[in-house]
Amino acid sequence: MSNETYSDNVTRVIDLLKETFKETPFKAYFDDDPGDIAKFDLPAIIVSENSDVTSAGSMAQDDIEEQILIKVVFDKADDYKNDADERSNDTQRKLRKIVGERDSVTGDYLPQTIKGAIRTFGQLDLNEIADTMTTEYGVQPRDDGLMTIEAHVTFGLQYSVDIRH
């Protein structure tokens, strides 16, 4: 990736996810976790850059690997029925499908999944997606008594930058 065509990768991932999920119920997309998320903004997607490792490469280039984190956030209250404490796995099942649902015939990721979008992103230009993607699921207490159930997908994005002297 040359310096002339650089654009922020978090912004690019958000744009890709907005396009990928344009037919789904996501109400907000955030560049970094705002911490306090309003209930009316859920479900939401949050994209952050966790780290950036820069190494001297060959031929007057730096090799960069950014760790990108995508959070898919739902309101945990959606799992409760009739205000009772009866819990089900409905929301986590939705999260698992959004993260990596696969075609029942081919086994490929469906295009409207986080993993499908990430693999597409790696094919758009000179970026290369690192070999490993990790996904963690959990419940997160947020402000004002809001509890969210979230999927956190982390992946590396590798590219080179020209060094000009």
Side-chain angles (χ1 to χ4, degrees), residues 30 32-38 46 71 140-143 146 150:
F30 296 98
D32 200 17
D33 195 323
D36 187 11
I37 299 177
I46 301 165
K71 294 181 183 181
Q140 176 72 34
R142 299 239 178 211
D143 290 343
L146 182 65
E150 304 182 10

Side-chain angles (χ1 to χ4, degrees), residues 5-17:
T5 61
Y6 173 78
S7 63
D8 180 68
N9 283 319
V10 169
T11 302
R12 293 176 64 228
V13 170
I14 290 171
D15 291 344
L16 176 68
L17 294 175

Side-chain angles (χ1 to χ4, degrees), residues 5 14 27 35-36 54 73-74 90 93 107 119 125 134 138 163:
T5 61
I14 290 171
K27 297 178 183 173
D36 187 11
T54 303
V73 183
F74 282 88
D90 293 340
R93 189 175 309 117
R119 292 300 181 209
D125 53 27
T134 60
I163 301 171

Side-chain angles (χ1 to χ4, degrees), residues 6-82:
Y6 173 78
S7 63
D8 180 68
N9 283 319
V10 169
T11 302
R12 293 176 64 228
V13 170
I14 290 171
D15 291 344
L16 176 68
L17 294 175
K18 283 180 179 178
E19 181 63 26
T20 299
F21 294 111
K22 64 183 171 191
E23 302 298 323
T24 59
F26 291 108
K27 297 178 183 173
Y29 292 81
F30 296 98
D31 183 333
D32 200 17
D33 195 323
D36 187 11
I37 299 177
K39 188 176 180 86
F40 60 77
D41 279 336
L42 296 176
I45 290 181
I46 301 165
V47 181
S48 305
E49 181 179 326
N50 283 347
S51 66
D52 168 332
V53 177
T54 303
S55 305
S58 61
M59 303 186 58
Q61 289 186 325
D62 275 347
D63 294 329
I64 313 288
E65 181 169 336
E66 294 177 6
Q67 288 294 318
I68 304 293
L69 170 62
I70 299 171
K71 294 181 183 181
V72 183
V73 183
F74 282 88
D75 186 351
K76 181 66 176 157
D78 293 344
D79 281 345
Y80 300 107
K81 297 179 179 168
N82 300 325

Side-chain angles (χ1 to χ4, degrees), residues 74-149:
F74 282 88
D75 186 351
K76 181 66 176 157
D78 293 344
D79 281 345
Y80 300 107
K81 297 179 179 168
N82 300 325
D83 295 327
D85 280 339
E86 181 183 333
R87 296 176 191 243
S88 68
N89 290 326
D90 293 340
T91 306
Q92 194 192 59
R93 189 175 309 117
K94 286 181 206 173
L95 284 172
R96 290 192 312 263
K97 288 176 78 170
I98 286 170
V99 168
E101 185 175 15
R102 298 180 357 198
D103 184 282
S104 61
V105 175
T106 66
D108 296 343
Y109 295 120
L110 293 178
Q112 286 191 321
T113 63
I114 297 292
K115 289 182 178 181
I118 290 168
R119 292 300 181 209
T120 299
F121 183 75
Q123 298 169 1
L124 293 178
D125 53 27
L126 299 178
N127 291 311
E128 182 177 321
I129 303 300
D131 294 337
T132 303
M133 253 188 281
T134 60
T135 305
E136 297 178 9
Y137 298 93
V139 176
Q140 176 72 34
R142 299 239 178 211
D143 290 343
D144 297 326
L146 182 65
M147 293 289 275
T148 57
I149 184 164

